[in-house]
Amino acid sequence: MSKAFKQNKFKLSVDMLPAISRLCILIVIVLLGVGIDSSFLSLRNISNIFANASILIILGIGQTITVITNGPDLSSGSVMTICAVIAAILIKNYNVNFVIAILIALVVGGIIGAINGYMIAYVGIPSFISTYGLQWAIFGFAYVLLQGYVLYDFDEKFRFIGNGNLFGVIQMPILVTLICVLLGHLLLKKTTLGRKCYAVGSNRVSASMSGINVNTVISMAFVISGILSAFAGVLFVARMNSVQSDSGSSYLLPVLASVYMGGTSVSGGEGGVLGTVFGAMVMTVATNCMNLLSVPSEWRDAILGVLIIITVLLDVVVKKRMQSIKIVSA
């Protein structure tokens, strides 16, 4: 066995440590669930867990792309809400074909993402301030559109997206989420735009000097996030069969937690969609365990907060250990 092969094999095993550490956390939580209820690993419960995680994962994909490129998109929950409201009003009040309503919602999400991208990339407003400010404006507009009412009871054909089963085997939310995960992963890892996102997030000056149009890349990242947030909103309405003016408000912190728990760097330039899927699954499985244990609602946020800290802390420790191992091996 050549020395070069041994070095490559060692590097591969070391690079896998963060993924292995995250997987161990998920396994521990799953084993806890099995200990609580023997039916935890039943096909029905596993399917429900994945379906429940679908909206969080789709939002997380867009969030991952923006964090890798420039910073968090704090407006994702509000974009999800306003696009869900628009689609719901078109379907319920104006009898617009649900396919057309979905397309309009996606366009609106993309436009809001473009506004975010323009303010951040071209005007120079930090992403945290721009997206956070826009979030409250959008929530207010959603309230005006609904006037405090709740829309519910949608057509079964539309609801199939969120509650149907394809061939009676796989739930539709799982299928559409898997498609989004695949496309998001391929975008970041296999396309020129994805490589540019990593380059801009790692070092904006170096990326610009190498010929990358930094402003365009940042704008595209937020447009994609807006479209995915809109799609999550549509899926939410189809799954819950209702929508109100604050439907997406509870998703912001869980989405950010899923992204950072999955190993995406706060400073950008590092991370991926698959890690975000892990983070979302940890959040969802932990919530499922607490439901089985009938944990009081006032304790749930505290438990999830501790879990997030432990997961991110473990990831940081493992990455530092990796760096020290690589330095020694070099």
Side-chain angles (χ1 to χ4, degrees):
M1 185 179 294
S2 66
K3 183 178 180 181
F5 179 80
K6 288 181 179 179
Q7 288 177 340
N8 289 334
K9 185 177 180 181
F10 175 77
K11 181 180 179 181
L12 180 63
S13 62
V14 170
D15 289 342
M16 289 176 63
L17 283 177
I20 294 172
S21 67
R22 297 182 201 122
L23 181 61
C24 289
I25 291 174
L26 184 57
I27 291 174
V28 169
I29 298 174
V30 170
L31 291 176
L32 176 62
V34 174
I36 297 169
D37 190 336
S38 58
S39 64
F40 184 84
L41 288 180
S42 65
L43 183 61
R44 180 179 180 181
N45 191 55
I46 292 174
S47 180
N48 286 333
I49 289 173
F50 275 103
N52 290 335
S54 58
I55 295 171
L56 188 57
I57 291 173
I58 292 172
L59 286 171
I61 295 170
Q63 194 72 244
T64 301
I65 295 171
T66 60
V67 171
I68 286 173
T69 308
N70 181 83
D73 180 3
L74 301 184
S75 67
S76 59
S78 61
V79 175
M80 167 188 162
T81 300
I82 192 65
C83 293
V85 168
I86 289 172
I89 290 175
L90 290 174
I91 295 170
K92 190 72 177 177
N93 296 351
Y94 296 95
N95 296 317
V96 175
N97 183 281
F98 73 88
V99 175
I100 297 175
I102 291 172
L103 291 176
I104 292 174
L106 295 180
V107 170
V108 171
I111 291 172
I112 297 174
I115 293 172
N116 266 329
Y118 178 81
M119 290 192 297
I120 294 164
Y122 293 95
V123 179
I125 302 175
S127 60
F128 179 87
I129 297 174
S130 172
T131 58
Y132 187 72
L134 191 62
Q135 170 189 234
W136 295 111
I138 295 172
F139 272 133
F141 191 52
Y143 183 84
V144 170
L145 285 178
L146 284 180
Q147 296 180 347
Y149 291 100
V150 177
L151 290 180
Y152 60 93
D153 192 22
F154 296 90
D155 183 78
E156 287 297 323
K157 292 181 180 179
F158 169 65
R159 292 199 63 208
F160 180 78
I161 304 170
N163 285 283
N165 288 279
L166 190 64
F167 307 122
V169 177
I170 182 170
Q171 293 189 47
M172 283 301 294
I174 299 176
L175 179 61
V176 297
T177 301
L178 288 175
I179 293 172
C180 290
V181 169
L182 178 62
L183 293 177
H185 178 72
L186 291 176
L187 171 68
L188 283 175
K189 301 296 183 180
K190 301 296 181 180
T191 67
T192 302
L193 176 60
R195 289 189 287 271
K196 288 179 179 178
C197 287
Y198 282 106
V200 172
S202 296
N203 192 315
R204 189 178 300 188
V205 175
S206 296
S208 180
M209 291 178 65
S210 63
I212 296 174
N213 189 325
V214 173
N215 292 340
T216 299
V217 173
I218 293 174
S219 297
M220 285 301 300
F222 281 90
V223 168
I224 293 170
S225 178
I227 293 172
L228 286 170
S229 297
F231 186 68
V234 170
L235 186 63
F236 177 89
V237 178
R239 182 162 176 77
M240 301 301 175
N241 197 27
S242 66
V243 66
Q244 56 192 49
S245 58
D246 62 347
S247 294
S249 60
S250 62
Y251 280 94
L252 176 58
L253 293 181
V255 167
L256 288 173
S258 299
V259 172
Y260 295 132
M261 287 170 69
T264 298
S265 174
V266 178
S267 57
E270 182 182 350
V273 169
L274 299 183
T276 299
V277 173
F278 154 81
M281 290 307 301
V282 167
M283 298 282 288
T284 308
V285 173
T287 301
N288 187 266
C289 289
M290 287 188 285
N291 288 337
L292 293 174
L293 284 171
S294 299
V295 176
S297 58
E298 58 266 22
W299 279 99
R300 296 191 179 195
D301 289 343
I303 293 172
L304 287 175
V306 171
L307 180 62
I308 292 167
I309 292 172
I310 292 174
T311 306
V312 175
L313 181 61
L314 179 61
D315 192 57
V316 171
V317 170
V318 170
K319 285 181 178 179
K320 287 184 177 179
R321 180 61 178 167
M322 282 174 53
Q323 292 175 354
S324 63
I325 291 174
K326 288 180 179 179
I327 291 173
V328 172
S329 62

